[in-house]
Amino acid sequence: MDIQSLSESIRSNVSSVIVGKDDLIDKLFIALVTSGHVLLQDVPGTGKTMLAKALAKSVECEFKRVQFTPDLLPSDVSGISYFNPKSSEFVFRPGPLFTNILLGDEINRASPRTQSSLLECMEERQITIDGITHTLEEPFMVIATQNPLEQQGTFPLPEAQLDRFLFQLSMGYPETDESIQILRRFIEGKPLQELQAVVTVKQLIDARETAQGVHVSDPMLEYITQLAERTRGDEAVVIGISPRGCQALLKAAQVQAILGGRGYVIPDDVKTLAIPVWAHRLVLKGTYLSRSSSSASEVISRILQEVPVPTEDPEAL
């Protein structure tokens, strides 16, 4: 099954639960293929957790959920070594972190100490506990949710943590007809419980190798670099896009190209994904303590208009 077919299968499967969010589902699929992580930020009740569960059930892999709370300890997520009196030795008991898809619900309610326990695993796909490094199985993906409005009792994610998320996405409220469809769908049954896996882990790993082979021309590499450098020198920006952010956009654009039926990246792939990949990575002047993703989106939109676009001639690319 090719990547386009995989994407269509997951989109169709998740859409049987989540109404009217095909573009959002496609971005989650891109994150799956690129081994990226996703931060879902929106008000309560919009379906963030249900979307994450529907995606996890669509893939034939292990899924675990952690409800982040202020009293959650790092060992509650990563695991702990305990003394076994029968064997007279310490035994490691893995935590929920050892899975394929981890849902971190309300991640900003956990303390910075607990949040930091995810840094190593999100970037390096490994976790070090008591001096011993444990490798995580592939694929490994973190889907985190947070409420941007209610700040009492929360701990804002630091820049280092945000930079490890491929996308920051928002569900948004449904349209009128979509709301009616949601009500009707959940009156008639329980679609999430009835969901079956449509993609295997092997298919995802094969898709990742295929995506890595998508051609990216030198002009496109220069285009991404110029966009990132412009953010670093922009008068409204304190912290611009890092090399990690450039790599994230490049990998996402490769999958986007395949979904567009091409074997090469064009500027539209980059422009389509620049805001969801980069907006949460920017720190703007005057908003260091209270970031405004909408303002960051406006900065990126302006930069996309200012930076010259390379030719879209496939032969030149």
Side-chain angles (χ1 to χ4, degrees):
M1 188 182 295
D2 57 30
I3 292 182
Q4 284 182 301
S5 299
L6 288 178
S7 174
E8 292 170 1
S9 297
I10 288 184
R11 187 190 311 120
S12 175
N13 208 45
V14 176
S15 293
S16 65
V17 178
I18 304 296
V19 178
K21 303 297 179 184
D22 287 355
D23 181 66
L24 201 64
I25 297 170
D26 285 344
K27 287 184 174 61
L28 288 174
F29 174 77
I30 291 174
L32 263 178
V33 174
T34 59
S35 295
H37 310 291
V38 176
L39 179 62
L40 293 175
Q41 178 171 284
D42 216 320
V43 296
T46 52
K48 301 184 298 295
T49 300
M50 185 167 292
L51 174 63
K53 287 183 175 181
L55 178 72
K57 292 195 70 172
S58 299
V59 182
E60 194 176 308
C61 65
E62 189 173 5
F63 167 75
K64 293 181 181 178
R65 174 187 177 183
V66 177
Q67 184 68 47
F68 280 71
T69 56
D71 61 344
L72 190 72
L73 299 176
S75 58
D76 295 330
V77 180
S78 59
I80 190 172
S81 296
Y82 67 96
F83 184 76
N84 188 339
K86 292 184 178 180
S87 59
S88 298
E89 60 183 7
F90 282 92
V91 178
F92 176 65
R93 182 175 63 195
L97 189 63
F98 288 81
T99 187
N100 295 119
I101 298 179
L102 174 68
L103 170 59
D105 232 346
E106 296 185 290
I107 188 174
N108 56 332
R109 291 200 174 279
S111 67
R113 181 186 178 191
T114 302
Q115 290 180 13
S116 65
S117 65
L118 295 175
L119 290 175
E120 181 183 7
C121 67
M122 290 177 69
E123 179 64 20
E124 304 176 39
R125 271 61 182 180
Q126 65 180 33
I127 185 71
T128 302
I129 303 170
D130 296 334
I132 300 176
T133 299
H134 304 267
T135 301
L136 302 177
E137 293 185 8
E138 292 289 352
F140 174 72
M141 177 184 187
V142 174
I143 303 176
T145 71
Q146 67 174 3
N147 174 10
L149 299 180
E150 187 179 347
Q151 299 301 319
Q152 185 175 1
T154 64
F155 302 88
L157 299 181
E159 282 70 29
Q161 185 92 37
L162 288 171
D163 199 38
R164 282 164 168 77
F165 286 99
L166 175 65
F167 291 126
Q168 177 175 303
L169 304 174
S170 176
M171 296 287 292
Y173 286 116
E175 300 293 336
T176 302
D177 59 336
E178 293 172 348
S179 295
I180 295 173
Q181 189 176 348
I182 291 171
L183 294 175
R184 182 181 296 114
R185 181 173 296 179
F186 282 86
I187 286 177
E188 295 173 349
K190 299 179 179 179
L192 184 61
Q193 295 182 7
E194 299 166 1
L195 216 58
Q196 300 293 325
V198 294
V199 174
T200 66
V201 169
K202 183 180 185 306
Q203 287 174 323
L204 279 180
I205 294 176
D206 291 343
R208 183 185 310 170
E209 295 176 355
T210 301
Q212 291 172 347
V214 171
H215 177 67
V216 185
S217 66
D218 289 341
M220 289 307 308
L221 296 177
E222 294 172 3
Y223 182 52
I224 294 174
T225 302
Q226 289 171 2
L227 291 172
E229 290 177 346
R230 184 65 67 90
T231 67
R232 299 166 195 163
D234 193 273
E235 61 180 8
V237 178
V238 176
I239 300 178
I241 299 302
S242 66
R244 180 191 288 137
C246 292
Q247 294 177 38
L249 181 56
L250 174 61
K251 291 179 180 179
Q254 287 178 301
V255 182
Q256 181 69 31
I258 296 179
L259 297 183
R262 286 172 278 99
Y264 54 88
V265 174
I266 63 174
D268 281 349
D269 297 325
V270 175
K271 295 167 75 172
T272 297
L273 298 173
I275 290 177
V277 174
W278 278 2
H280 61 287
R281 303 171 192 265
L282 291 184
V283 177
L284 306 183
K285 291 180 180 178
T287 59
Y288 189 82
L289 296 179
S290 57
R291 286 177 292 270
S292 171
S293 59
S294 60
S295 296
S297 300
E298 292 170 2
V299 170
I300 295 174
S301 296
R302 172 169 52 77
I303 290 174
L304 287 171
Q305 294 176 356
E306 295 173 350
V307 175
V309 178
T311 177
E312 295 188 19
D313 180 5
E315 295 183 1
L317 293 175

